[in-house]
């Protein structure tokens, strides 16, 4: 197998983002295939016993077992690291496998974590339920309040954990400030960059230590597989993450890795076009929603309190936004009247999808936590896809009218 492109080659470092997304991490076999090969194998064979012993001892390069390495998965890891501007990346079985591994691999009983209160429901479950069960204290704060990050630091604070933009309230964290604060206190930042993808935002450029992904979202981009990834320095990945990953096994299947590799080829194009469409649909909706007494939560619109910051730290503001129509009844009426946009709780897909977070993605967290993070009963979240924007506007127009908005 020939590594035609690799992270250590000077050429790849010069490549611009679209080239990295399409060609980064391509290893070609002796057949010279254009598209990456799919290695559906759990194990490997060896010419002699000394070879396998050297590989297990870490003295020779080469695959030993697909929980540890697989050529298709390795291609994906190399491409994601290159797109992120990270020294290394490891693929994970899902986004939640990535978040769990990124936290548990480095924390122990007696540590303290500061986390953003606005977050995907399962990410909040890690912070509110899982970590405390193992003696790890957690504090949740308003992530848009820079002073709150500083005030929450304790002598045993080890990790800052947050999403930006956050699911589903689109809170924006000041990456430069929060990552700088963490560095100054020897705290590791773990940023969930699922809403943006490396095509729109690269948190490491602002000082983030670890960037974790649900690759199920924009990276796949076509709603096919679950996948995740964690990016960091080579040393952190090898010394902190790998011992945890090797022995607990949240490994990505080679097939799913191959699907995500295909998704990444078009990621920059999709992410930018879907961001443009999200701004256009948001501009159409905003006067209607505000006239009806509702709220728009859209980092791409001037009305978002951190619109300027979002524009400064993101190349484009992404395909997802939310808006509040007042009550659960009205929100359900809008969803039920949709003719083109699907009712679905996934995001990052090339299809437009809409959901009611309070009864789906954030249902399990309890009414109090939902109220605290602004997941109201009238809130709807939309992922804007690649359909003709006029068709999307017409569908929203008729669905709002049907709901009396
Ligand atoms: C911000 C965020 N992080 C993590 C996840 C979890 O990803 P997965 O569904 O791939 O486990 C999601 C899924 O919706 C998400 O929106």
């Amino acid at each position: 197998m020939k590594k035609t492109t690799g992270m250590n080659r000077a050429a790849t470092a010069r490549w611009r983002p679209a080239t990295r997304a399409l060609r980064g991490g391509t290893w070609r076999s002796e057949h010279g295939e254009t598209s990456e090969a799919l290695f559906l194998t759990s194990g490997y064979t060896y010419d002699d016993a000394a070879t396998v012993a050297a590989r297990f001892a870490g003295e020779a390069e080469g695959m030993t077992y697909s929980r540890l390495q697989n050529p298709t998965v390795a291609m994906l890891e190399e491409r994601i690291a290159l797109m992120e501007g990270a020294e290394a990346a490891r693929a994970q079985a899902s986004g939640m496998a990535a978040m769990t591994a990124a936290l548990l691999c480095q924390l122990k009983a007696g540590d303290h974590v500061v986390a953003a209160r606005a977050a995907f429901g399962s990410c909040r479950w890690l912070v509110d339920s899982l970590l405390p069960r193992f003696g790890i204290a957690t504090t949740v704060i308003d992530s848009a309040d820079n002073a709150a990050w500083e005030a929450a630091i304790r002598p045993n604070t080890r990790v800052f954990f947050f999403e930006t933009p956050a699911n589903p309230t689109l809170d924006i964290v000041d990456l430069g400030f929060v990552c700088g604060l963490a560095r100054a206190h020897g705290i590791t930042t773990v940023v969930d960059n699922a809403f943006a993808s490396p095509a729109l935002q690269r948190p490491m450029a602002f000082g983030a230590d670890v960037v974790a992904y649900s690759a199920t979202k924009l990276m796949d981009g076509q709603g096919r597989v679950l996948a995740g990834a964690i990016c960091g320095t080579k040393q952190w990945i090898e010394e902190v993450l790998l011992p945890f990953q090797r022995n607990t096994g949240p490994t990505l299947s080679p097939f799913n890795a191959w699907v995500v590799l295909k998704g990444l080829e078009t990621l920059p194009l999709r992410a930018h076009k879907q961001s443009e469409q999200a701004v256009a649909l948001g501009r159409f909706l905003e006067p209607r929603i505000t006239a009806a007494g509702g709220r728009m939560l859209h980092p791409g619109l001037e009305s978002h309190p951190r619109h300027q910051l979002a524009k400064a730290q993101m190349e484009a503001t992404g395909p997802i936004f939310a808006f509040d129509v007042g009550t659960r009844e009205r929100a359900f009426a809008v969803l039920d009247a949709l003719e083109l946009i699907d009712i679905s709780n996934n995001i990052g897909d090339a299809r437009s999808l809409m959901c009611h977070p309070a009864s789906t993605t954030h249902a399990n967290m309890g009414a109090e936590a939902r109220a605290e993070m602004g997941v109201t009963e009238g809130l709807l979240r939309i992922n804007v896809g690649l359909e003709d924007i006029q068709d999307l506007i017409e569908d929203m127009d008729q669905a709002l009218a049907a709901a009396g908005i």
Side-chain angles (χ1 to χ4, degrees):
M1 187 116 170
K2 195 168 83 186
K3 254 189 164 184
T4 58
T5 67
M7 278 190 289
N8 298 326
R9 287 178 42 141
T12 58
R14 284 200 305 272
W15 287 352
R16 290 162 186 84
T19 312
R20 293 178 176 203
L22 189 68
R23 288 182 174 266
T26 302
W27 303 4
R28 287 195 171 123
S29 77
E30 66 275 23
H31 303 298
E33 64 279 354
T34 44
S35 176
E36 296 77 11
L38 173 51
F39 288 88
L40 282 179
T41 183
S42 45
Y44 303 87
T45 60
Y46 316 93
D47 290 341
D48 51 63
T51 299
V52 58
R55 288 188 193 177
F56 269 83
E59 291 157 3
E61 269 197 41
M63 309 279 155
T64 55
Y65 188 58
S66 281
R67 175 154 40 77
L68 316 182
Q69 322 94 352
N70 173 280
T72 310
V73 177
M75 286 191 257
L76 176 67
E77 292 170 339
E78 193 168 321
R79 186 170 299 174
I80 289 175
L82 202 55
M83 292 176 75
E84 189 63 45
E87 285 178 15
R90 287 301 292 220
Q92 310 289 321
S94 68
M96 284 323 300
M99 303 311 150
T100 307
L103 294 172
L104 287 185
C105 74
Q106 59 178 319
L107 290 166
K108 60 180 186 325
D111 288 345
H112 174 241
V113 173
V114 182
R117 72 180 179 199
F120 174 53
S122 297
C123 294
R124 274 297 298 264
W125 182 85
L126 295 181
V127 170
D128 297 341
S129 302
L130 186 74
L131 297 183
R133 207 187 277 174
F134 295 97
I136 299 155
T138 61
T139 305
V140 291
I141 57 151
D142 174 359
S143 64
D145 179 354
N146 285 359
W149 286 100
E150 190 149 18
I153 295 174
R154 300 180 190 168
N156 58 338
T157 305
R158 298 281 168 262
V159 167
F160 280 177
F161 177 46
F162 59 90
E163 303 164 14
T164 182
N167 187 359
T169 49
L170 285 302
D171 292 27
I172 301 289
V173 176
D174 185 338
L175 280 168
F177 174 83
V178 174
C179 297
L181 179 69
R183 283 268 162 101
H185 288 81
I187 295 165
T188 302
T189 41
V190 176
V191 181
D192 177 344
N193 199 32
F195 263 44
S197 89
L200 301 182
Q201 174 174 270
R202 287 175 287 284
M204 284 183 176
F206 298 88
D209 299 301
V210 177
V211 180
Y213 283 102
S214 167
T216 315
K217 312 303 179 198
L218 274 164
M219 286 187 180
D220 170 17
Q222 285 150 84
R224 300 166 294 193
V225 296
L226 275 99
I230 303 174
C231 306
T233 62
K234 197 165 177 291
Q235 187 181 9
W236 188 87
I237 294 277
E238 283 174 7
E239 293 176 10
V240 183
L241 177 66
L242 276 187
F244 179 90
Q245 171 151 13
R246 280 202 182 106
N247 297 302
T248 58
T251 310
L252 183 64
S253 99
F255 179 76
N256 288 2
W258 182 83
V259 172
V260 178
L261 273 167
K262 298 297 99 189
L264 289 180
E265 292 178 356
T266 56
L267 173 63
L269 268 180
R270 286 184 284 103
H272 282 276
K273 177 70 178 172
Q274 288 181 240
S275 298
E276 258 172 48
Q277 305 239 99
V279 170
L281 192 63
R283 287 204 196 290
F284 165 77
L285 282 174
E286 188 160 44
R288 274 283 264 287
I289 298 300
T290 50
R295 297 179 295 154
M296 288 296 288
L297 305 173
H298 193 322
L301 298 183
E302 292 73 13
S303 56
H304 190 286
R306 288 195 141 180
H307 172 62
Q308 290 305 336
L309 176 63
K311 276 188 19 183
Q313 62 190 27
M314 303 178 78
E315 281 187 23
T317 48
I320 304 142
F321 67 89
F323 56 99
D324 194 326
V325 294
T327 62
R328 178 181 284 227
E329 290 66 34
R330 265 180 150 185
F332 277 24
V334 173
L335 287 174
D336 291 344
L338 292 169
E339 291 173 351
L340 167 64
I341 300 166
D342 290 305
I343 303 173
S344 174
N345 44 287
N346 199 11
I347 50 170
D349 198 298
R351 289 166 196 76
S352 293
L353 309 173
M354 209 158 130
C355 81
H356 178 249
S359 60
T360 58
T361 52
H362 293 69
N364 285 336
M365 66 194 312
E368 202 181 312
R370 275 200 300 277
E372 182 199 59
M373 66 184 268
V375 180
T376 47
E377 286 295 310
L379 195 72
L380 289 166
R381 188 195 69 193
I382 182 163
N383 167 73
V384 183
L386 293 174
E387 300 91 344
D388 191 294
I389 187 63
Q390 209 46 46
D391 290 331
L392 294 175
I393 288 174
E394 286 172 16
D395 196 30
M396 277 297 226
D397 185 28
Q398 65 79 26
L400 291 180
I405 299 165

